[in-house]
Amino acid sequence: MSTPRQSRADRRRATETRILDGARELFSEKGFDRTTIRAVATAAGVDPALVMQYFGSKRELFTQAVQAFPELPTATDTDALVDQLLATLDIKLGGLPEGTLVMLRSMLTDPAAADHVRVTLDRQIDGVSAALPAAEDAELRAALFVTALLGVTIGHQFLRLDVLRDAPADRIAALLRPAFKALAEPQG
Amino acid sequence: MSTPRQSRADRRRATETRILDGARELFSEKGFDRTTIRAVATAAGVDPALVMQYFGSKRELFTQAVQAFPELPTATDTDALVDQLLATLDIKLGGLPEGTLVMLRSMLTDPAAADHVRVTLDRQIDGVSAALPAAEDAELRAALFVTALLGVTIGHQFLRLDVLRDAPADRIAALLRPAFKALAEPQG
DNA sequence: TAAGTGAGTCAACACGTGTTGAGCGAATCG
DNA sequence: CGATTCGCTCAACACGTGTTGACTCACTTA
């Protein structure tokens, strides 16, 4: 055969994404420390040395496995903002991209991941704050929105609290709506 | 000298707590995986082997370093409950006992810690739920209270978001109060 | 077809880890 | 005082880790 079924470049790209996919899954399940290069290699059906050769280091692999998602609110009035924030619950409870889970999973034990989360949340807080009625506390209020949602997400996704997992996302959103509206009002 | 300045039992108890204190500090700072027996031993000015001899294993040391605290609400009407929940913010933002930080720090990466947190939160949710006006969603509402507070705590204590750290606890409580009241009402 | 490139493997190193058993020496006890 | 307990240290083992360099061989290219 003079023509291979797959070009060398194609093979390379294929195994590279196979490694990255396995890494994302493992990192998001077990966190940075407990994920081993060897396990990633095995998941990708490849030799550990190849993972190093392609990504240079475990850290670098981790960095590539994470990808930020801005997910900034575009609303400008309060009601729309609350609706928009609550709409993200659909995603946060069940449909979060694995690259995000990677980041969240390790944020409490890996300083690099913590930094990443911190700047991401700061960006979100700025975005929410901008959509809030002007007040001295807009930024603080925004931070409470964002961290409250973070807490619910953690309870659902990582702690797997039954009470949360048994409730449909829109029921949760319905309960949260009045609370969020109250939090958005400058003089609650 | 026939009488030593410290009895053998006293010495033993002293170094035991010295080890436990060092362990709590390190576990709460770096989490389970990144805390080494050697580091704990050094912090306590003691040989690593002694830590093993006294506590049996790293896991057992970790378990002893954590101690649960119920912190269940005793209120029976809604307003008192909200006040009581908000009062815990003083503690949650800055004054959390190290044994609790230990637990929280590792909950995303260590399954045993995750279990511990899950049952603790479940207990809190039950407590809050009991103090809520009877409704089908009382338990779910309670879970949202608890996880929202968890999120704020994480943002403050672990992610160290400036917006939260710069705000006094009572300001945060004041902003949260109307939101929590709305969340407590059966038909918001 | 012959030289060269590069995907992928193999075996090993250096290191840090939890954990163990033998031993020392001071406090206890009869 | 002599025997013994026990707090504590020392040195080591066994293992898993990230990482490396030499190597093989299928594909590419001239």
Side-chain angles (χ1 to χ4, degrees), chain A residues 68-145:
Chain A
F69 64 123
E71 196 186 317
L72 292 178
T74 57
T76 47
D77 78 294
T78 302
D79 280 10
L81 173 71
V82 170
D83 284 345
Q84 211 167 338
L85 285 176
L86 290 174
T88 67
L89 270 176
D90 263 336
I91 300 172
K92 292 201 197 319
L93 312 182
L96 274 182
E98 226 161 20
T100 305
L101 293 179
V102 168
M103 194 167 81
L104 292 179
R105 172 74 75 180
S106 294
M107 70 179 171
L108 295 187
T109 37
D110 183 73
D115 285 349
H116 200 139
V117 173
R118 192 179 311 113
V119 321
T120 302
L121 290 189
D122 269 337
R123 223 168 301 189
Q124 285 187 346
I125 289 170
D126 274 358
V128 171
S129 165
L132 241 28
E136 296 183 25
D137 296 317
E139 212 183 1
L140 181 52
R141 252 191 278 266
L144 295 176
F145 274 113

